[in-house]
Amino acid sequence: TQLLEQSPQFLSIQEGENLTVYCNSSSVFSSLQWYRQEPGEGPVLLVTVVTGGEVKKLKRLTFQFGDARKDSSLHITAAQPGDTGLYLCAGGQQIQGAQKLVFGQGTRLTINP
Amino acid sequence: NAGVTQTPKFRVLKTGQSMTLLCAQDMNHEYMYWYRQDPGMGLRLIHYSVGEGTTAKGEVPDGYNVSRLKKQNFLLGLESAAPSQTSVYFCASSYPWRRAEGYTFGSGTRLTVV
């Protein structure tokens, strides 16, 4: 059972365009994290959001946590070829004090020059 | 500053063989995790540990065993490998969740079972 649904799974756009990736669930999470993964490497944390309605910006990337803490979005403004990669959202569920993460399927983003 | 180190990086096993994947972290993290990544499935949690000497099952634990004898090491064992265990395996570690610092992942082990 996939608790987190990411969409789209694949996205190919031209340099300079804007895009949004969505991460949806019927479950409530204590936090929502976004990771980026390069080929042959492990995921690297981009941002953590913990409060419903929270918005965080990382240069041209804007992350938002839904008011009910069930969904999140990643918006990229003026995409660049260097943004190409696999983007993963992950919802945090607290168990025994540890934040167990549930991952979405990922969005493979390609920015064409 | 090595972070999380996984060995080996690549391995090919025959069905029925056994092996151990090694994970070591140098960040003094309490918590460690093993995930597998398959196309279209995302990352799925196999086992995790909240401290030295403790382990717990994740989402897909069948066919795997783990041990955390030292705080810095987390071992994943396959007793009798099956083709369904062909995957990329990632180890990760973290502080307690309230620090909201996320996981630090290793670079993965690509395992093929033939």
Side-chain angles (χ1 to χ4, degrees), chain B:
Chain B
N1 187 11
V4 177
T5 303
Q6 290 183 235
T7 54
K9 293 189 181 299
F10 303 93
R11 184 73 185 270
V12 178
L13 283 180
K14 294 183 178 180
T15 297
Q17 287 185 321
S18 63
M19 77 165 293
T20 301
L21 282 65
L22 310 179
C23 177
Q25 54 97 1
D26 62 1
M27 296 168 289
N28 203 34
H29 284 165
E30 282 291 331
Y31 308 132
M32 298 187 74
Y33 316 83
W34 276 106
Y35 281 86
R36 59 178 290 174
Q37 186 174 37
D38 302 291
M41 302 291 290
L43 285 151
R44 292 181 293 169
L45 181 63
I46 304 171
H47 286 281
Y48 65 100
S49 168
V50 299
E52 181 178 320
T54 73
T55 62
K57 294 180 179 180
E59 182 186 357
V60 288
D62 294 342
Y64 306 95
N65 57 75
V66 288
S67 64
R68 182 101 181 266
L69 299 180
K70 293 183 178 180
K71 184 178 183 179
Q72 63 267 35
N73 298 332
F74 196 27
L75 309 181
L76 178 70
L78 286 73
E79 292 186 347
S80 179
S84 61
Q85 294 177 305
T86 293
S87 187
V88 182
Y89 292 86
F90 287 98
C91 176
S93 66
S94 74
Y95 288 116
W97 76 273
R98 57 186 174 274
R99 291 184 60 160
E101 292 184 0
Y103 289 9
T104 301
F105 282 87
S107 57
T109 295
R110 184 173 294 275
L111 174 66
T112 302
V113 182
V114 298

Side-chain angles (χ1 to χ4, degrees), chain A residues 32-53:
Chain A
L32 202 295
Q33 300 181 351
W34 285 89
Y35 290 79
R36 176 177 164 177
Q37 186 177 14
E38 302 292 343
E41 297 295 327
V44 175
L45 180 70
L46 294 174
V47 76
T48 300
V49 285
V50 296
T51 305

Side-chain angles (χ1 to χ4, degrees), chain A residues 14-25:
Chain A
Q14 295 300 119
E15 181 178 1
E17 294 183 354
N18 301 331
L19 67 105
T20 302
V21 176
Y22 299 94
C23 182
N24 296 298
S25 175

Side-chain angles (χ1 to χ4, degrees), chain A residues 83-111:
Chain A
D83 295 327
T84 293
L86 179 67
Y87 290 81
L88 297 161
C89 66
Q93 297 176 326
Q94 190 181 356
I95 296 180
Q96 295 183 29
Q99 175 114 265
K100 195 172 69 169
L101 289 180
V102 176
F103 283 82
Q105 312 99 309
T107 295
R108 191 164 298 281
L109 176 63
T110 302
I111 309 301

